[in-house]
């Protein structure tokens, strides 16, 4: 498990960096945070970001965020607001991957004006 660093997207541009995924990684969630997953492997990767917060009595229930990234595809996942995805103890969100061979990811947020 690794803590993924968050890269800030700015008006002047960003050269994104991607790292190999582990079966489970963590990152700092936020209202302006997105996870970009690239799958260059031969099998689909199911990414699951667990919902850890929220009102259990709410009329709208939010389930874990599960996204399939098929082979030779990529997905932008988010936004991932803290009030739903942050662990109350650590403040971090956890993403798990079902397939890790040749799968990379990056965490991005928008620069605040």
């Amino acid at each position: 498990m690794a803590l993924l660093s968050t890269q800030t997207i700015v008006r002047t541009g960003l050269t994104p960096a991607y790292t190999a995924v582990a079966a489970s990684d963590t990152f700092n969630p936020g209202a302006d945070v997105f996870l970009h997953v690239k799958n260059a492997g031969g099998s689909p990767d199911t990414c699951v970001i667990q919902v850890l917060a929220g009102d259990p009595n709410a009329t709208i229930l939010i389930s874990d965020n599960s996204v399939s990234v098929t082979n030779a595809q990529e997905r932008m996942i988010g936004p991932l607001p803290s009030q739903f995805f942050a662990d109350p103890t650590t403040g971090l969100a956890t993403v798990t991957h079902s397939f890790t061979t040749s799968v990379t990811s990056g965490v991005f947020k928008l620069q605040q004006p």
Side-chain angles (χ1 to χ4, degrees):
M1 180 184 314
L3 173 61
L4 303 173
S5 59
T6 302
Q7 303 168 66
T8 302
I9 301 168
V10 296
R11 286 190 177 101
T12 56
L14 168 72
T15 301
Y18 296 89
T19 57
V21 302
S24 177
D25 290 313
T26 57
F27 62 93
N28 287 297
D32 56 353
V33 172
F34 293 81
L35 177 68
H36 187 190
V37 179
K38 295 179 159 196
N39 184 353
S43 297
D45 173 27
T46 301
C47 305
V48 177
I49 305 169
Q50 185 178 10
V51 173
L52 295 168
D55 181 357
N57 299 315
T59 55
I60 299 173
L61 297 176
I62 298 174
S63 61
D64 291 352
N65 194 46
S66 179
V67 176
S68 179
V69 184
T70 54
N71 47 314
Q73 296 290 314
E74 55 189 84
R75 297 286 182 275
M76 292 291 292
I77 305 167
L80 302 162
S82 299
Q83 65 263 35
F84 299 113
F85 296 99
D87 181 298
T89 305
T90 65
L92 299 175
T94 299
V95 57
T96 59
H97 297 272
S98 65
F99 180 74
T100 60
T101 304
S102 300
V103 178
T104 58
S105 70
V107 177
F108 301 92
K109 74 175 184 173
L110 303 174
Q111 180 183 39
Q112 296 302 313

